[in-house]
Amino acid sequence: MILQTLELKNFRLHKNTFIKFSRNLNYIVGGNGQGKTSLLEAIYYLCTSKNLLQSPDSEVVNFDEKFFEISGDFINGSGNKIRILYSLETGKKNIFLNEKQIYKSSEIIGKFPVVTLTQTDHFITQGSPLYRRKLIDSIISQASQTYLKTLMEYNRILKQRSSLLTKIRETGYPVYEEELEVWNASLVKKGSEIIEKRLEFINEFNGYVKNSYNEIMGEKEIPALSYKSTVSTIDLQNIASVFNENLQKRKREEIARGYNLIGPHRDDVIFKINGYDLKKYGSQGQNKTFQISLKFAQFFYLKDKLNKTPIFLLDDVFGELDSERIEKISFYLKKIGQAFITLTDFTNVENLNKDENDLMIHISKGEVKNVS
Amino acid sequence: MILAEPLQVAIDELSKLPSIGRKTAQRLALHLLKSDPVDVENLANAILDLKRKIKICKRCFNIAVDEYCEICKSEKRDQQTICVVEEVSDIVAIEKTNEYNGLYHVLGGVLSPLAGTGADSLHIKELLTRIHEENTTEVILALNPDTEGEATSLYLAKLIKPLGVKVTRIARGLPMGGDLEFADEATIGRAVLSRIKL
């Protein structure tokens, strides 16, 4: 999938911007607050109809204006044009695919797969387990609709079950414990499906991460992912029966606290380098390298699974890295095909190995100054 | 704008009905105001009769005119099969098919701790008594295929199976006249799993 052109009207700083992209690497260069990341944000809108930074649509409209409009031309099989129009007055976002209005944003999800690396991604390796679950859930969901459905059902069961646990605690009424058995059965069924799918995914994804990490770091460091489950630390062969057993064991504790204490919603993914826990022992550079490798791995994984090349968006990927890694990453990027990369650091530009097919797009005050 | 009080009361009451919003309630109230008094009286009586004359069947909790509903009173129906449904409206849906000739049992909801419905607020005890007293041979669970419906089915199966009664659940799969291509993956997946031999 290739994005050929992008046109912006009243989109943040961009009053009226039109860019023709390269089919290869597009480096977006400029100072702080000049509108570089806005370009990635706009591309993300085209792919998902949602905001990359989770900002409300109304904040994206240029000051003094009443609407924003984004259009993009993709080569996606037969060629697709997406146009998104947001009006501040109505608060409505209208999406057009080949100039035909789309009413459900789910209709374009998955059609234009996208992989992003942003500043908040440092939470993936350094933050709470929530961020790691979010990452793997979003990758698996992009490749499997069934997984997404199971996940949604599981979340529903969690809500019902915690409400029942609280009820048991408050009333001390043993009759509800029979009901609890039923919710346990549902929890175990859907929960085991989720864990199985995650294990299968991590097993496969490990190879992708190794490859990516290797491309950036060479073979002196070997990364690995493993799944850490609250259901069982040792036996993940008979997930359902172990899950059930542990629910029985911790029943009193769950009732006392009124929470769902075990299940995939509390599981974690552990990242390691040469056998050492990255979160505990990793340096800033190693963390950053790992985050970048995960995103490259996600890109190649989705490309294989979906038979479609995702759009790759990288926001300030080169900060905190030494010149050797910058060089390696810039070489690795050439295997991606089309990518969009913002840069602030002018001094390192000579390490980028830019060739004649790549574009350097200079942005200043929401305008394209020159393209080279 | 301040409305005459009776009109305001009528609007308030009408807007309590399902799928009736403020605007529709207002339109209905104004329409009633203009209507023939006889028509309005007929409507009012019909509504009152609903509450006065319609009872709940003692046996299956369907709506009835007498102590028992028409289905329970009919001798043509298979007395040994009970189809368990969530609401009366589900009976209407199944009856329309003409494919079922047994009895019903209305649970009056499904297990949902979030909504505050537990087993004790459903007609489960009554169902178990019926199975016991009526020599039931099969119980068909016809609850919605969502999270709460599934949990309720599991719960009922657990209670009924020890009684030595066959427990079945209605099949799920592709809708008639549907297009395989446009069905969602979960539905197709389930349909494949519960395929039948020809």
Side-chain angles (χ1 to χ4, degrees), chain A residues 186-199:
Chain A
S186 305
L187 188 80
V188 167
K189 185 164 177 273
K190 296 290 165 198
S192 309
E193 279 176 32
I194 291 170
I195 296 176
E196 264 168 46
K197 189 79 194 177
R198 284 186 184 168
L199 287 172

Side-chain angles (χ1 to χ4, degrees), chain A residues 44 52 114-118 121 295 298 311-315:
Chain A
Y44 192 81
L52 172 66
V114 58
V115 175
T116 63
L117 178 76
T118 63
D121 285 335
K295 296 299 177 161
Q298 177 181 1
I311 293 280
F312 204 30
L313 306 176
L314 302 152
D315 193 17

Side-chain angles (χ1 to χ4, degrees), chain A residues 219-237:
Chain A
E219 285 180 7
K220 55 192 179 223
E221 288 185 359
I222 296 165
L225 284 77
S226 59
Y227 193 67
K228 190 181 162 202
S229 182
T230 46
V231 167
S232 168
T233 47
I234 32 163
D235 184 9
L236 285 172
Q237 299 300 312

Side-chain angles (χ1 to χ4, degrees), chain A residues 19-264:
Chain A
I19 307 175
K20 206 162 171 278
F21 290 117
S22 155
R23 303 176 68 100
N24 296 292
L25 303 181
N26 295 279
Y27 289 106
I28 301 160
V29 196
N32 291 325
Q34 301 298 310
K36 301 186 302 292
T37 308
S38 311
L39 291 184
L40 302 188
E41 198 181 7
I43 297 170
Y44 192 81
Y45 260 114
L46 291 176
C47 296
T48 64
S49 82
K50 297 196 167 59
N51 192 289
L52 172 66
L53 314 161
Q54 270 116 43
S55 312
D57 298 329
S58 56
E59 283 176 14
V60 179
V61 181
N62 183 282
F63 294 123
D64 325 316
E65 294 294 343
K66 292 195 167 57
F67 73 96
F68 75 70
E69 187 176 356
I70 319 164
S71 4
D73 262 316
F74 289 89
I75 305 180
N76 186 4
S78 51
N80 277 308
K81 186 181 159 75
I82 291 257
R83 187 162 67 90
I84 293 178
L85 185 66
Y86 172 83
S87 152
L88 205 55
E89 270 167 25
T90 59
K92 277 201 181 113
K93 197 162 43 179
N94 293 309
I95 308 161
F96 301 86
L97 176 60
N98 297 328
E99 289 309 326
K100 218 175 116 192
Q101 189 160 4
I102 279 178
Y103 295 96
K104 274 199 252 159
S105 60
S106 60
E107 278 181 57
I108 60 165
I109 286 174
K111 242 186 154 139
F112 302 92
V114 58
V115 175
T116 63
L117 178 76
T118 63
Q119 294 308 305
T120 52
D121 285 335
H122 73 266
F123 287 119
I124 293 172
T125 62
Q126 295 170 309
S128 72
L130 171 76
Y131 295 96
R132 291 180 283 284
R133 287 195 300 268
K134 260 194 183 165
L135 175 77
I136 62 167
D137 283 346
S138 84
I139 303 174
I140 309 172
S141 300
Q142 268 186 288
S144 158
Q145 280 256 326
T146 320
Y147 182 79
L148 183 63
K149 279 230 162 94
T150 312
L151 209 57
M152 277 158 36
E153 281 176 56
Y154 181 77
N155 288 335
R156 178 85 190 156
I157 296 168
L158 284 178
K159 271 194 196 157
Q160 291 282 17
R161 194 170 176 274
S162 72
S163 162
L164 185 63
L165 286 168
T166 313
K167 200 165 150 191
I168 297 174
R169 182 185 60 184
E170 282 169 3
T171 58
Y173 198 39
V175 171
Y176 294 129
E177 294 193 18
E178 275 187 29
E179 272 180 53
L180 186 63
E181 290 294 309
V182 171
W183 291 105
N184 282 356
S186 305
L187 188 80
V188 167
K189 185 164 177 273
K190 296 290 165 198
S192 309
E193 279 176 32
I194 291 170
I195 296 176
E196 264 168 46
K197 189 79 194 177
R198 284 186 184 168
L199 287 172
E200 185 191 306
F201 165 75
I202 283 182
N203 197 13
E204 196 177 351
F205 198 57
N206 244 315
Y208 285 89
V209 176
K210 263 182 202 140
N211 280 344
S212 313
Y213 202 89
N214 202 351
E215 291 273 356
I216 304 169
M217 278 303 294
E219 285 180 7
K220 55 192 179 223
E221 288 185 359
I222 296 165
L225 284 77
S226 59
Y227 193 67
K228 190 181 162 202
S229 182
T230 46
V231 167
S232 168
T233 47
I234 32 163
D235 184 9
L236 285 172
Q237 299 300 312
N238 316 300
I239 304 166
S241 60
V242 182
F243 199 160
N244 227 333
E245 261 170 49
N246 285 323
L247 278 179
Q248 299 303 337
K249 271 187 211 155
R250 299 186 67 180
K251 188 169 153 189
R252 291 293 134 211
E253 195 187 340
E254 282 197 303
I255 291 172
R257 293 174 60 179
Y259 284 131
N260 297 294
L261 293 178
I262 38 183

